[in-house]
Amino acid sequence: MMSRGDSFYLVGYRCFQRVLHSLYYLHGIGTKRKQPKLGRLRNTYGKSTWKAAVSCPRITGSRALFSAFWARFWAFTSRFIGNKRKAYRKAYIFPFHTGRSVAGSRWLDSTSELRWEFSFVMKHLCIDWSVEAVGQIRLNQSKDNCAIHLKMNVIWLLSLLFLCFGVLSNGSQKNLSSRPAVVNVGAVFTFESTIGRVAKIAIEEAVKDVNSDAGVLTGTKFVLTMRNSNCSGFIGMIGALQFMETETIAIIGPQSSVVAHMISHVANELQVPLLSFAATDPTLSSLQFPFFVRTTQSDLYQMKAITELVDYYGWRSVIAIFIDDDYGRNGVSALDDALAEKRLKISHKEGIPPGASASQGDIMDILVKVSVLESRIIVLHVNPDIGFKVFSVARYLGMMQNGYVWIATDWLSSVLDTSSPLASDTMDSMQGVLVLRRHTPDSDRKRAFLSRWKKLTGGSLGLNSYGLYAYDTVWLLAHALDAFFNQGGTISFSNDSKLLSIGRGSRHLEEMNVFDGGMLLLNNILKSNFVGLTGPFKFTSDRSLYAPAFDIINVIGTGYRQIGYWSNYSGLSTETPEALYGKPPNRSSVNQRLYGVVWPGETLSKPRGWVFPNNGKLLKIGVPNRVSYREFVSRVRGTDMFKGFCIDVFTAAVTLLPYAVPFQYVSVGDGHKNPNYSELVRMVAEGELDAVVGDIAIVTSRTRIVDFTQPYASSGLVVVAPFRKLNSGAWAFLRPFSPLMWGVTACFFIVIGIVVWILEHRINDEFRGPPKHQIITILWFSFSTMFFAHRESTVSALGRLVLIIWLFVVLIINSSYTASLTSILTVQQLSSPIKGVESLINSNDPIGYQVGSFAEHYLSEELNISESRLVALGSPEEYAKALQNGPGKGGVAAVVDERPYVELFLSTQCKFRIVGQEFTKSGWGFVFPRDSPLAVDMSTAILALSENGDLQRIHDKWLATSACSSESTELESDRLHLKSFWGLFLICGLACFVALVIYFFQILRKFRNAAAVGANSTGTGSSRSGHLQTLFSLMDDRSGHTKTGHKKRRIERSLSENDKEDELKSNPKKKPIRNSLEITTSTSE
């Protein structure tokens, strides 16, 4: 059934047919009865105009008929408009609904534009046309310039008006059908390349699958046109520009990153999305090129995988060989950044010219230069043609043998997957190489496509990961177009004002138009989410593909073996990334693992990754030319050789290394004073020296710029001060305790006496009597406990508890005092006004330090000692002189230096001693540049020297000490201080406090009972003074059950019983009579 739009075009077609017939007859082209043939019209009015009209792919049915006659009308009028109309022929268009112009410069879908077209024609036919033109028209043709003036009859004019107003009335409503019959898509890549051969077939199969799928692009055919770039960036660029001159809404490609950089600028301007499945340059960012969409993984992730691989095996630096174009340079730049995050580095870079300009001789020169460098880890980031040349030359130079590591990017895996098996010579030249391959998860759909691929190619061509990404790219665009049309998007183009401002010329830049729906299509591409052959296909917020991952393979024999995976989610693993996505991410070193590798040279042992440069240069080992303490390091006079403790340790460690170390000593210092060791460290950090051997202290500020080996000697800052001998003297017995200790002990003796008196006063007659007698008893009892000679016995439980604890305290004090006094009277004592570093901080006396030592910085920066107090001393002799003179005679109060120097100094200077404790802990080590592999191996060798005893033997050889440098000479205080006994005093004090609390609680209870009895007897309350008097009376009154009372009763009872027995014997009949004493006693009881 014909639609309303088709009915209109059919009516228009009939009207135009009549009009054109009349025009043809009037101007002698034909007759009404015999119309000119189409071929004659095409030859007469121009092939280009006719071809554009009748071949427009968007005009179907009645619209095609109308368009054909519209083309005839234009061809006819062009004869009367003249050459100027021909000049404008490419600038104006036919009024096709959603149709495109001959030149492809603008679109017509509005009534106003159609009106203008009729106005233009009528004016140049010298017909009075009253419709005003809409839009900007710059045409200077006037009626006077018309070649022929026509007089149209009324019927002819009415037919034109009928047609015009019919178009205007019906054109006011747009066609609601937004899906075109076809969509044109372009593709640019190299057909004969490793990637291109596979991608071409994969894209063709994807287009077939899209067009045969009724669920995608319903009613619209996906038409893809491919152009071969022939491995030329220029041709690839031209091919992409040709697509942009035509009705192409998107371009798949380009394959080359170089072409992508150039075309992306044009794509941004014309808003045509570029979907590249092979341009992996990380710098093709979405910020600079918003219309560039990468449908594969960026090299940014590939370089992260290489970095984690290098770090996993413990290598510190690599050499990068790359193709010198955007793809190679930017890929290596990404590798450099990734390595820096792990504190690794690229030690050397070598670029190879792209294309055929790189000869085998050029590659040999590059590899010869690489072979003499330190690193043996080589990353090869090139294209297949150059890559195989590099491997061939490397094998010829012996660089595929034991000790080398080659890591190839995914260019090699693409060749292995596509053209395997390769020639035996080619495979032999890359044995042991590690290769990365873009990971695509296994699935039923992928296996089905692989089976289909084998049938298509007959097994002659393998399928690589780029082919899978190319297939999914077509489906990505199909899904995006489907969403684009569902959202009401239309295929329309418009002129680019920037190109029109340049002007028209032979380049025809005006023919490139802006895709009006480009932004909408781009957004739909980025929002797409489907499952393809490469797995889940969707984009992240930074427009990278979801879940980047790589396979790690090892070339062995005639093929390869997979040793693991890398994913941005969990790092290196022997499990597939899909199995790890369901688990929490864990990048700890314990979980990073790979299977074993067969390295170049057919060895299973991991290569060390570096050697000493074989360039004829020796390592420059800096050695401080010391003036003092030459036992540690000193220069042999008249030679360039050095000797000493540090030199022997270094030489012994080097001999334990599994390789030879070519080096030479470089003397640092003028020989008049010790060099500044911080300056030595700086020279290593800046590359002036390769290492420093000497007595270099390992301190925090130095470790920030260089690496140190394992310490081979312990060190730390100590204080050296003069001393004097102490004689015993008459008051030597007071020296075991400090004054505070004496005072606290005396106070506790008195306190214990008072506490025991309070607890025993009421019930023990030995603690009663006149006040004077009681005071003497308290003092006597307390101090007699010192010798356990107290005669008074305690009766109460509380008093006995306090006394037991106090006697234990007295026992400890007596034992400590005896031991300390014995030491004082039998061992020679030394004394110094300086007790340690705290004494130096609190005083204002000058302090000496060794020239070049880090002690100066530590004292001034860490301990905040004024630099005006610091005195530089250059030799042991200066040490002794300054200490002997003291602060009063221009000397120093003490010297702060490292323990090894001090021990050597005290071995010959017995007048000075170490005071206090060592207040820093550090060590001596050898200095190497940051991340130097030699530092690690030297540390292992030093540990071996320590374990086998060689390190101690070297120490004894150079640093044997005399008797006065033994530990017994160190100054330490022999006095006992309160801090050693405060725990005992605390326990005793708590016991006294608890006993008193319990005692007073008992007194208060008796007081309440007595107050209650008194109130009942008198019937009235008593005054406050009466209560106090009663309380004190209870505390002071003797209890009936005293110790003396008990003794008297026992004596009297014994006497009375004896008298009774005697009386009964003399007079048995006499009744026993109790004597008055017994009666009195019983009464009192």
Side-chain angles (χ1 to χ4, degrees):
M1 186 174 181
M2 188 175 295
S3 65
R4 182 179 179 184
D6 290 336
S7 300
F8 157 70
Y9 279 106
L10 183 59
V11 173
Y13 159 72
R14 291 174 178 172
C15 294
F16 252 98
Q17 187 180 28
R18 292 181 177 274
V19 172
L20 292 179
H21 287 177
S22 301
L23 290 175
Y24 291 146
Y25 179 79
L26 290 174
H27 293 282
I29 298 175
T31 63
K32 289 185 178 180
R33 295 180 180 177
K34 185 177 181 180
Q35 303 304 329
K37 295 182 179 181
L38 296 180
R40 184 178 176 188
L41 289 173
R42 182 175 66 249
N43 295 332
T44 304
Y45 302 117
K47 296 181 180 180
S48 61
T49 303
W50 176 261
K51 183 177 180 181
V54 300
S55 64
C56 181
R58 300 206 171 273
I59 307 303
T60 58
S62 300
R63 294 173 183 160
L65 296 175
F66 179 76
S67 301
F69 277 93
W70 186 253
R72 293 186 192 182
F73 186 81
W74 274 123
F76 174 80
T77 55
S78 64
R79 296 187 61 188
F80 306 106
I81 296 174
N83 294 332
K84 185 170 291 188
R85 173 56 193 162
K86 292 181 180 179
Y88 284 100
R89 186 172 57 190
K90 292 186 178 182
Y92 300 108
I93 61 176
F94 304 121
F96 304 152
H97 181 70
T98 67
R100 193 169 182 184
S101 68
V102 177
S105 59
R106 62 190 292 252
W107 292 76
L108 245 180
D109 56 1
S110 67
T111 301
S112 60
E113 290 178 333
L114 187 58
R115 272 184 172 184
W116 180 85
E117 290 289 348
F118 276 101
S119 177
F120 178 85
V121 175
M122 293 301 105
K123 285 180 180 179
H124 287 79
L125 290 176
C126 302
I127 299 174
D128 187 11
W129 188 257
S130 61
V131 179
E132 185 179 357
V134 179
Q136 294 182 358
I137 307 172
R138 296 185 180 182
L139 184 63
N140 296 323
Q141 183 74 23
S142 64
K143 294 182 180 180
D144 296 334
N145 295 330
C146 292
I148 300 174
H149 295 268
L150 299 178
K151 292 183 179 180
M152 308 299 294
N153 56 38
V154 177
I155 297 175
W156 183 82
L157 182 59
L158 289 176
S159 63
L160 280 177
L161 293 175
F162 171 79
L163 174 63
C164 178
F165 288 107
V167 170
L168 295 178
S169 62
N170 194 58
S172 61
Q173 297 182 4
K174 294 184 179 180
N175 189 355
L176 299 177
S177 176
S178 61
R179 287 184 179 266
V182 295
V183 289
N184 293 325
V185 177
V188 179
F189 54 91
T190 302
F191 293 170
E192 301 304 321
S193 65
T194 301
I195 297 175
R197 286 185 296 158
V198 176
K200 186 175 184 296
I201 301 175
I203 290 175
E204 290 173 349
E205 293 303 309
V207 171
K208 293 178 183 178
D209 293 344
V210 168
N211 288 329
S212 62
D213 191 338
V216 181
L217 293 178
T218 305
T220 302
K221 184 178 181 181
F222 192 101
V223 177
L224 181 74
T225 305
M226 301 187 194
R227 295 188 187 276
N228 188 0
S229 61
N230 292 321
C231 296
S232 171
F234 176 74
I235 296 178
M237 180 185 66
I238 296 300
L241 291 176
Q242 288 176 344
F243 278 128
M244 294 180 182
E245 293 180 358
T246 60
E247 204 172 298
T248 302
I249 51 91
I251 297 176
I252 297 176
Q255 174 183 335
S256 169
S257 296
V258 177
V259 179
H261 273 280
M262 293 184 288
I263 296 300
S264 293
H265 291 284
V266 182
N268 289 348
E269 186 66 28
L270 302 182
Q271 299 186 7
V272 176
L274 298 178
L275 292 83
S276 178
F277 58 88
T280 58
D281 181 0
T283 61
L284 289 167
S285 66
S286 58
L287 297 177
Q288 184 180 7
F289 306 116
F291 280 85
F292 176 83
V293 180
R294 194 195 324 272
T295 58
T296 185
Q297 300 294 350
S298 168
D299 277 342
L300 179 67
Y301 297 106
Q302 182 169 208
M303 298 309 167
K304 286 185 178 180
I306 293 176
T307 297
E308 296 201 22
L309 194 63
V310 172
D311 185 56
Y312 172 77
Y313 287 110
W315 301 316
R316 310 305 301 171
S317 63
V318 302
I319 296 173
I321 300 177
F322 59 95
I323 185 170
D324 197 6
D325 59 8
D326 291 335
Y327 161 74
R329 284 192 302 270
N330 297 328
V332 169
S333 178
L335 175 62
D336 202 2
D337 294 339
L339 289 171
E341 293 178 0
K342 296 278 188 178
R343 289 190 60 185
L344 311 176
K345 65 178 181 179
I346 298 178
S347 60
H348 186 74
K349 300 177 184 179
E350 281 291 343
I352 300 177
S357 58
S359 63
Q360 191 166 358
D362 296 334
I363 295 175
M364 183 171 291
D365 293 340
I366 291 173
L367 293 184
V368 168
K369 188 187 303 183
V370 169
S371 65
V372 300
L373 299 177
E374 177 181 306
S375 179
R376 284 292 184 263
I377 314 300
I378 303 173
V379 177
L380 191 60
H381 186 53
V382 293
N383 58 39
D385 294 336
I386 294 177
F388 289 126
K389 288 182 181 180
V390 170
F391 283 134
S392 178
V393 175
R395 182 188 180 192
Y396 174 78
L397 295 176
M399 297 176 67
M400 301 301 297
Q401 299 300 319
N402 188 12
Y404 282 91
V405 176
W406 289 83
I407 302 175
T409 53
D410 65 336
W411 65 267
L412 182 53
S413 61
S414 299
V415 178
L416 293 174
D417 290 337
T418 304
S419 305
S420 184
L422 299 175
S424 59
D425 290 343
T426 303
M427 293 300 298
D428 291 342
S429 66
M430 54 186 186
Q431 291 295 303
V433 175
L434 294 180
V435 188
L436 270 68
R437 177 175 60 193
R438 297 173 191 275
H439 175 73
T440 55
D442 194 17
S443 63
D444 294 337
R445 186 178 179 186
K446 179 181 175 182
R447 286 191 293 269
F449 188 78
L450 287 173
S451 177
R452 175 181 169 188
W453 182 271
K454 292 179 181 178
K455 295 178 181 179
L456 288 171
T457 61
S460 61
L461 187 66
L463 178 62
N464 57 42
S465 59
Y466 285 105
L468 298 174
Y469 281 111
Y471 181 92
D472 284 350
T473 300
V474 175
W475 275 97
L476 170 66
L477 185 56
H479 284 294
L481 283 170
D482 197 44
F484 172 80
F485 292 134
N486 289 337
Q487 296 170 6
T490 59
I491 307 298
S492 61
F493 292 78
S494 60
N495 289 331
D496 189 351
S497 59
K498 297 179 182 179
L499 294 177
L500 292 177
S501 64
I502 298 175
R504 296 175 176 84
S506 59
R507 293 182 298 273
H508 301 294
L509 297 178
E510 70 277 4
E511 296 182 2
M512 292 190 296
N513 300 321
V514 177
F515 177 28
D516 298 330
M519 185 57 69
L520 179 60
L521 178 59
L522 176 64
N523 292 333
N524 282 287
I525 290 173
L526 298 176
K527 293 178 181 178
S528 296
N529 186 359
F530 66 97
V531 178
L533 297 182
T534 59
F537 207 98
K538 61 181 179 179
F539 295 93
T540 60
S541 58
D542 62 349
R543 297 175 61 168
S544 299
L545 283 184
Y546 170 77
F550 287 84
D551 302 335
I552 303 174
I553 60 180
N554 181 208
V555 179
I556 304 173
T558 58
Y560 57 85
R561 182 176 69 96
Q562 187 160 332
I563 63 170
Y565 306 89
W566 175 88
S567 68
N568 197 40
Y569 181 78
S570 57
L572 300 174
S573 174
T574 54
E575 297 183 60
T576 61
E578 295 75 37
L580 297 174
Y581 290 149
K583 304 177 183 178
N586 192 339
R587 284 183 168 270
S588 63
S589 58
V590 178
N591 289 322
Q592 304 296 300
R593 60 174 64 90
L594 295 172
Y595 292 120
V597 178
V598 178
W599 303 100
E602 298 181 357
T603 178
L604 297 177
S605 300
K606 185 199 76 172
R608 188 172 70 244
W610 67 277
V611 295
F612 286 102
N614 187 20
N615 52 11
K617 295 182 180 179
L618 302 177
L619 291 180
K620 294 185 293 183
I621 307 295
V623 182
N625 188 7
R626 292 193 60 90
V627 177
S628 61
Y629 299 110
R630 297 174 62 86
E631 290 85 354
F632 294 106
V633 58
S634 62
R635 184 173 183 176
V636 179
R637 297 185 182 277
T639 67
D640 293 332
M641 302 300 296
F642 288 83
K643 64 179 182 178
F645 169 70
C646 302
I647 300 299
D648 283 2
V649 173
F650 178 77
T651 304
V654 168
T655 58
L656 294 180
L657 297 178
Y659 47 85
V661 181
F663 66 90
Q664 62 178 354
Y665 290 127
V666 177
S667 178
V668 180
D670 55 10
H672 300 290
K673 65 178 181 178
N674 295 332
N676 189 311
Y677 281 22
S678 297
E679 182 67 15
L680 277 170
V681 172
R682 184 198 61 79
M683 294 174 68
V684 174
E686 296 181 357
E688 298 179 28
L689 297 173
D690 297 317
V692 170
V693 172
D695 44 345
I696 312 296
I698 303 173
V699 294
T700 304
S701 60
R702 296 172 181 174
T703 57
R704 295 192 181 103
I705 57 176
V706 295
D707 282 349
F708 283 88
T709 62
Q710 177 77 16
Y712 61 87
S714 61
S715 179
L717 293 178
V718 293
V719 178
V720 180
F723 69 94
R724 62 184 178 85
K725 296 180 180 181
L726 294 178
N727 297 321
S728 298
W731 302 99
F733 67 92
L734 296 176
R735 285 170 52 193
F737 287 166
S738 65
L740 181 61
M741 180 67 181
W742 279 116
V744 172
T745 303
C747 290
F748 259 84
F749 272 107
I750 297 174
V751 169
I752 292 299
I754 295 173
V755 170
V756 172
W757 176 82
I758 293 173
L759 298 176
E760 296 290 327
H761 175 67
R762 295 182 64 250
I763 60 177
N764 195 339
D765 289 340
E766 296 181 359
F767 289 89
R768 299 184 64 82
K772 180 179 180 182
H773 174 73
Q774 293 185 45
I775 293 173
I776 294 173
T777 300
I778 291 173
L779 295 177
W780 164 254
F781 176 80
S782 60
F783 285 102
S784 63
T785 57
M786 181 185 302
F787 312 103
F788 305 98
H790 54 285
R791 294 181 303 172
E792 294 78 8
S793 300
T794 55
V795 177
S796 66
L798 294 176
R800 290 174 179 177
L801 174 64
V802 171
L803 184 60
I804 287 297
I805 295 176
W806 173 245
L807 291 177
F808 176 74
V809 174
V810 170
L811 175 65
I812 300 299
I813 293 176
N814 281 341
S815 301
S816 303
Y817 177 84
T818 302
S820 179
L821 183 60
T822 302
S823 174
I824 291 173
L825 296 177
T826 58
V827 179
Q828 178 176 284
Q829 298 297 306
L830 307 177
S831 176
S832 174
I834 304 298
K835 305 302 180 183
V837 67
E838 293 82 5
S839 301
L840 294 178
I841 296 174
N842 297 329
S843 68
N844 293 320
D845 296 331
I847 304 171
Y849 68 91
Q850 184 182 176
V851 174
S853 172
F854 79 97
E856 177 188 11
H857 178 270
Y858 185 86
L859 293 173
S860 61
E861 299 296 331
E862 301 295 334
L863 301 183
N864 297 321
I865 295 176
S866 174
E867 294 186 1
S868 61
R869 294 176 55 195
L870 302 180
V871 179
L873 304 173
S875 65
E877 292 76 16
E878 293 183 13
Y879 279 23
K881 182 178 180 181
L883 289 172
Q884 287 176 352
N885 291 337
K889 298 181 179 181
V892 296
V895 171
V896 176
D897 206 350
E898 296 177 68
R899 178 175 284 274
Y901 301 122
V902 171
E903 290 178 348
L904 195 60
F905 170 71
L906 295 180
S907 65
T908 58
Q909 299 289 338
C910 298
K911 299 179 181 179
F912 313 102
R913 294 292 181 268
I914 297 175
V915 295
Q917 301 294 324
E918 185 176 316
F919 57 92
T920 65
K921 293 290 185 181
S922 62
W924 288 352
F926 303 131
V927 183
F928 290 92
R930 290 294 296 269
D931 303 323
S932 172
L934 187 56
V936 178
D937 292 346
M938 286 293 291
S939 295
T940 304
I942 290 172
L943 289 175
L945 290 175
S946 178
E947 292 172 358
N948 61 25
D950 289 345
L951 189 60
Q952 185 61 42
R953 284 189 286 270
I954 297 173
H955 179 274
D956 295 340
K957 171 186 174 182
W958 289 97
L959 306 177
T961 57
S962 63
C964 66
S965 64
S966 61
E967 294 181 0
S968 62
T969 61
E970 294 186 9
L971 269 175
E972 294 183 0
S973 176
D974 291 317
R975 282 191 168 184
L976 299 175
H977 298 272
L978 179 62
K979 62 182 180 181
S980 303
F981 300 94
W982 72 268
L984 289 172
F985 288 122
L986 177 64
I987 294 173
C988 186
L990 289 175
C992 294
F993 176 77
V994 171
L996 290 176
V997 169
I998 295 174
Y999 172 78
F1000 284 113
F1001 178 77
Q1002 294 173 348
I1003 294 296
L1004 288 175
R1005 188 177 61 179
K1006 292 181 179 181
F1007 169 73
R1008 289 179 181 177
N1009 295 334
V1013 172
N1016 293 333
S1017 61
T1018 60
T1020 59
S1022 60
S1023 63
R1024 179 176 299 179
S1025 61
H1027 285 302
L1028 292 176
Q1029 184 177 2
T1030 303
L1031 177 62
F1032 288 125
S1033 175
L1034 289 174
M1035 295 177 61
D1036 185 64
D1037 287 348
R1038 185 178 67 177
S1039 174
H1041 300 281
T1042 62
K1043 176 181 175 182
T1044 306
H1046 284 295
K1047 288 183 178 180
K1048 288 181 178 179
R1049 284 193 297 271
R1050 285 197 297 270
I1051 295 171
E1052 291 173 354
R1053 188 180 295 112
S1054 175
L1055 292 174
S1056 63
E1057 289 177 354
N1058 292 335
D1059 293 341
K1060 184 178 180 180
E1061 290 178 356
D1062 293 340
E1063 184 178 355
L1064 287 174
K1065 288 179 182 180
S1066 61
N1067 190 5
K1069 295 182 179 182
K1070 187 177 182 178
K1071 296 181 180 180
I1073 300 174
R1074 292 182 296 179
N1075 57 35
S1076 60
L1077 180 60
E1078 183 179 357
I1079 294 173
T1080 304
T1081 304
S1082 61
T1083 303
S1084 64
E1085 291 178 357

